[in-house]
């Protein structure tokens, strides 16, 4: 397509949404560019095959992380989708929106139109919830969302232990009550992953006004002064250019979008100059404000044969695969995250800052290989970390990945919250519900008792939930660190918009895929010129624990 109205760079969680919504007008020509391949592999359809995709670089950018000072100088890989559907094609399929206070916080930071009442209608528009539509949930959207039954004895023990420990129960973790224990919705349908490539792009692929091009790595934005004209990319060793008649829209994610801005001369001027890039616009916030969710995993032996250990190896693994291929049912048809808890790490915190998730099989370190024998693990995710990192250039070469420094656990408040999380999970697993299931504590180990020892273990083993975000955050024009306005337009630059997780002012208290899709749904109306959906009314207000100021639960 030689003269598209819109060029969308990145066919991920946001890009596929925009490709569908913008091309719905047959008079609008849309070009969708993706650096990765098409999404035809069977591993991208089978939910339990997510580990195979994360341990491969075929569909994963697998960005190297910098040594992390808060983790004893450790570094690890940052997984991001590199395929049609982006991270929604390789992620854990956990579907959760975050708390209403997250979005009201965005509104208070100068992002008009992004409060909870404003965004809820777009969450509803995006989803088709198999438990049925209501005030909080959508019934006929492009993303199929499955409510699990949580039938595994370990999942039931998790819920029962939460009740025994005095935590509230929630009937819908994305509904009126987030705080508490409940089932964990997932973006699957009839035993298959439901990515944005599946939900949004597939229905639009046959449109004559939509062109989808894969395996094309965009090198920079084509600029004419302070206007974005198009993109520059390499095709078979030859540099090529293509112009957009209306806009270039970056949907390359929290790593890719700020990286592409800086390669194009849009970013912190001194930093660009140090890499031999002539600054076009001094935008100091580009790449800054990196948010993520640190993750630590506690592990136990399981005394009963109820874990997924038999299905993870040998003949049983093969039979499970064959069952999925023929019926789309069985162990391969799920992500195995059936239950979740959103809790507060201490009294005095208004709404949850920890996410606890049980998996019915423990994995070893960073190898992703199962622990030998029956086991289970519980993730402690810090969902409102105070530490901030940055995406910066490592080189002016577009083919070289950027420098990713997240600064996990460098903030004392974050370390304290994670330490409390370890103690809370230990208390949970020592409730009567786990008595017949709980064996030896494998991680951190019973010998790790003091705060100092727990902190040392956290520094040695904490990883990431791969929810990098906020590196081109929204904010008012007079906010020197804001990169885009409330409509996703880059400050001071015409013809250029960013629509992905990078524009979040602060990361949401949840896995980020649902929120990223919501962002794209909302800004698609802005781009089209359609009035925003009617804000939700008082019936959609969420509840808070009335004792939050004085009690942890």
């Amino acid at each position: 397509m030689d003269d598209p109205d819109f060029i969308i760079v990145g066919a991920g969680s946001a890009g596929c949404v925009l490709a569908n919504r913008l091309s719905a007008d047959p008079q609008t020509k849309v070009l969708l560019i993706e650096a990765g391949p098409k999404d035809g592999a069977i591993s991208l359809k089978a939910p339990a095959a997510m580990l195979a995709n994360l341990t491969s670089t075929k569909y994963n950018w697998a960005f190297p992380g910098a040594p992390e000072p808060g983790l004893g100088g450790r570094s690890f890989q940052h997984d991001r989708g590199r395929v049609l559907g982006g991270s929604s094609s390789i992620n854990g399929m956990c579907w959760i929106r975050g708390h209403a206070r997250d979005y009201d916080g965005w509104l208070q930071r100068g992002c008009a139109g992004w409060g909870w009442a404003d965004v809820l209608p777009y969450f509803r528009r995006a989803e088709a919830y198999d438990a049925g539509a209501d005030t909080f949930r959508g019934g006929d959207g492009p993303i199929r969302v499955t409510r699990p039954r949580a039938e595994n004895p370990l999942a039931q023990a998790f819920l029962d232990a939460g009740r025994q420990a005095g935590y509230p129960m929630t009937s819908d973790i994305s509904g009126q009550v987030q705080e508490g224990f409940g089932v964990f919705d997932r973006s699957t349908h009839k035993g298959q992953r439901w990515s944005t490539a599946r939900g949004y792009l597939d229905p639009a692929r046959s449109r004559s006004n939509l062109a989808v091009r894969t395996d094309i790595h965009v090198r920079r934005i084509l600029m004419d002064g302070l206007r974005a004209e198009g993109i520059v990319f390499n095709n078979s060793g030859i540099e090529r250019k293509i112009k957009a008649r209306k806009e270039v829209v970056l949907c390359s994610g929290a790593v890719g979008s700020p990286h592409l801005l800086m390669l194009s001369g849009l970013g912190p001027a001194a930093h660009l100059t140090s890499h031999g890039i002539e600054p076009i616009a001094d935008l100091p916030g580009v790449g800054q404000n990196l948010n993520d969710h640190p993750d630590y995993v506690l592990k136990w032996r399981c005394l009963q044969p109820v874990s997924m250990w038999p299905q993870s190896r040998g003949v049983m693994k093969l039979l499970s695969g064959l069952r999925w291929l023929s019926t789309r049912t069985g162990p391969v048809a799920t992500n195995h995250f059936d239950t979740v808890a959103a809790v507060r790490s201490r009294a005095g915190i208004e709404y949850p800052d920890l996410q606890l998730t049980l998996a019915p099989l423990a994995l070893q370190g960073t190898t992703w290989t199962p622990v030998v024998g029956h086991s289970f693990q519980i993730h402690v995710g810090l969902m409102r970390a105070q530490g901030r990192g940055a995406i910066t250039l490592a080189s002016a070469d577009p083919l070289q990945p950027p420098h990713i420094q997240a600064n996990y656990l460098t903030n004392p408040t974050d370390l304290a919250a994670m330490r409390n999380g370890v103690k809370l999970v230990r208390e949970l697993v020592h409730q009567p519900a786990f008595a017949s299931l709980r064996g030896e504590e494998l991680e951190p180990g019973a010998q790790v008792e003091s705060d100092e020892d727990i902190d040392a273990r956290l520094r040695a083993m904490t990883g990431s939930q791969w929810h990098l975000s906020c590196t081109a955050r929204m904010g008012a024009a007079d906010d020197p660190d804001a990169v885009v306005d409330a409509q996703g337009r880059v400050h001071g630059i015409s013809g250029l918009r960013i629509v992905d997780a990078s524009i979040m002012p602060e990361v949401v208290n949840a896995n980020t895929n649902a929120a990223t899709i919501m962002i794209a749904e909302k800004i698609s109306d802005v781009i089209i010129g359609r009035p925003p959906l009617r804000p939700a009314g008082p019936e959609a207000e969420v509840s808070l624990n009335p004792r939050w100021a004085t009690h942890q639960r």
Side-chain angles (χ1 to χ4, degrees):
M1 188 174 290
D2 294 329
D3 59 341
D5 294 296
F6 296 95
I7 298 175
I8 302 170
V9 183
S13 296
C16 288
V17 176
L18 288 183
N20 178 301
R21 297 306 190 193
L22 300 187
S23 65
D25 177 1
Q27 302 304 313
T28 299
K29 299 173 70 175
V30 179
L31 173 61
L32 179 64
I33 300 287
E34 169 57 40
K38 297 178 180 178
D39 63 329
I42 199 71
S43 67
L44 300 176
K45 295 180 174 63
M50 58 186 175
L51 290 182
N53 297 319
L54 292 174
T55 54
S56 167
T57 56
K58 185 172 184 180
Y59 305 113
N60 185 357
W61 283 105
F63 290 116
E68 290 290 344
L71 304 182
R74 284 190 301 120
S75 60
F76 46 79
Q77 174 178 298
H78 291 279
D79 299 314
R80 314 300 296 172
R82 182 181 172 275
V83 61
L84 289 179
S87 292
S88 75
S89 288
I90 70 168
N91 67 3
M93 294 154 283
C94 298
W95 190 261
I96 180 172
R97 299 168 175 174
H99 199 280
R101 287 291 189 271
D102 294 330
Y103 303 99
D104 289 340
W106 291 9
L107 182 64
Q108 292 166 7
R109 293 190 62 166
C111 301
W114 289 93
W116 172 246
D118 303 302
V119 303
L120 177 58
Y122 288 96
F123 277 120
R124 295 185 72 251
R125 187 168 85 177
E127 74 177 7
Y129 191 38
D130 74 352
D134 60 21
T135 300
F136 294 90
R137 309 305 293 250
D140 56 2
I143 295 294
R144 298 279 192 160
V145 180
T146 296
R147 182 180 176 89
R149 295 180 179 176
E151 296 173 333
N152 184 285
L154 285 163
Q156 280 300 312
F158 181 82
L159 297 176
D160 291 342
R163 187 178 295 107
Q164 292 165 356
Y167 288 100
M169 298 291 114
T170 175
S171 61
D172 185 355
I173 204 76
S174 291
Q176 187 175 31
V177 180
Q178 185 199 46
E179 183 172 346
F181 281 62
V183 298
F184 208 173
D185 300 328
R186 54 179 174 257
S187 50
T188 63
H189 179 58
K190 294 184 177 179
Q192 296 187 75
R193 173 191 290 276
W194 209 260
S195 66
T196 56
R198 188 70 183 273
Y200 284 91
L201 191 56
D202 279 357
R205 288 193 205 218
S206 62
R207 295 173 183 167
S208 60
N209 61 320
L210 172 64
V212 181
R213 299 290 180 263
T214 55
D215 300 298
I216 292 179
H217 193 138
V218 176
R219 290 176 171 265
R220 67 180 186 275
I221 303 160
L222 183 63
M223 299 294 299
D224 180 13
L226 295 177
R227 173 171 177 77
E229 283 196 324
I231 59 172
V232 179
F233 63 97
N234 190 283
N235 186 16
S236 301
I238 301 173
E239 185 173 279
R240 300 185 182 276
K241 302 176 182 178
I242 187 166
K243 294 185 177 182
R245 298 200 315 175
K246 293 184 179 179
E247 286 187 358
V248 175
V249 186
L250 300 187
C251 299
S252 301
V255 176
S257 287
H259 188 212
L260 196 52
L261 288 174
M262 289 185 283
L263 292 171
S264 307
L266 309 175
H271 178 61
L272 302 184
T273 301
S274 71
H275 285 278
I277 297 173
E278 182 178 354
I280 293 175
D282 183 12
L283 296 172
V286 171
Q288 303 301 303
N289 192 46
L290 175 62
N291 285 201
D292 194 14
H293 293 146
D295 185 77
Y296 176 74
V297 186
L298 293 91
K299 306 171 188 179
W300 282 267
R301 297 276 182 201
C302 185
L303 297 179
Q304 301 293 329
V306 295
S307 79
M308 296 306 301
W309 162 246
Q311 289 79 22
S312 70
R313 62 197 183 101
V315 174
M316 288 292 288
K317 182 177 181 179
L318 176 61
L319 291 175
S320 296
L322 292 174
R323 177 182 174 182
W324 182 84
L325 287 170
S326 60
T327 68
R328 295 298 194 262
T329 62
V332 179
T334 169
N335 61 1
H336 298 289
F337 296 128
D338 290 344
T339 52
V340 64
V343 303
R344 292 174 294 115
S345 62
R346 58 176 174 82
I349 296 176
E350 187 182 32
Y351 64 98
D353 62 332
L354 295 178
Q355 179 178 290
L356 313 180
T357 311
L358 179 136
L361 180 65
L363 302 178
Q364 300 185 50
T366 58
T367 66
W368 302 97
T369 56
V371 169
V372 175
H374 287 281
S375 62
F376 65 94
Q377 66 185 32
I378 298 178
H379 293 253
V380 178
L382 180 57
M383 312 310 284
R384 294 163 60 199
Q386 301 301 303
R388 296 290 181 267
I391 305 288
T392 53
L393 293 172
S395 167
D397 181 354
L399 299 181
Q400 294 300 311
H403 183 274
I404 303 175
Q405 184 86 63
N407 290 327
Y408 302 107
L409 304 189
T410 54
N411 186 299
T413 301
D414 294 346
L415 185 61
M418 291 291 281
R419 183 194 313 131
N420 289 345
V422 171
K423 295 177 181 180
L424 294 173
V425 169
R426 279 176 158 173
E427 178 195 8
L428 180 75
V429 176
H430 280 82
Q431 297 299 315
F434 273 107
S436 66
L437 299 167
R438 181 188 67 249
E440 175 191 3
E441 183 180 295
L442 302 176
E443 176 63 42
Q447 74 283 1
V448 178
E449 295 182 347
S450 69
D451 286 359
E452 293 76 12
D453 288 345
I454 294 174
D455 289 353
R457 204 62 194 155
L458 286 168
R459 295 190 189 281
M461 298 300 294
T462 291
S464 168
Q465 290 191 347
W466 304 291
H467 297 154
L468 302 176
S469 52
C470 310
T471 50
R473 69 174 179 84
M474 279 192 286
D478 59 359
D479 180 346
D481 294 320
V483 177
V484 303
D485 66 11
Q487 297 183 351
R489 297 173 299 193
V490 177
H491 287 306
I493 305 296
S494 61
L496 182 61
R497 207 180 295 256
I498 306 176
V499 184
D500 56 35
S502 71
I503 72 170
M504 294 181 186
E506 290 183 315
V507 69
V508 293
N509 177 33
N511 304 62
T512 50
N513 193 236
T516 301
I517 292 170
M518 175 278 293
I519 287 170
E521 279 278 17
K522 193 171 188 310
I523 295 183
S524 73
D525 277 356
V526 174
I527 296 172
I528 293 168
R530 187 162 48 198
L533 296 180
R534 185 179 208 172
E539 71 281 358
E541 291 182 2
V542 303
S543 64
L544 296 173
N545 189 319
R547 307 193 307 170
W548 67 264
T550 56
H551 292 72
Q552 184 266 328
R553 67 193 77 168

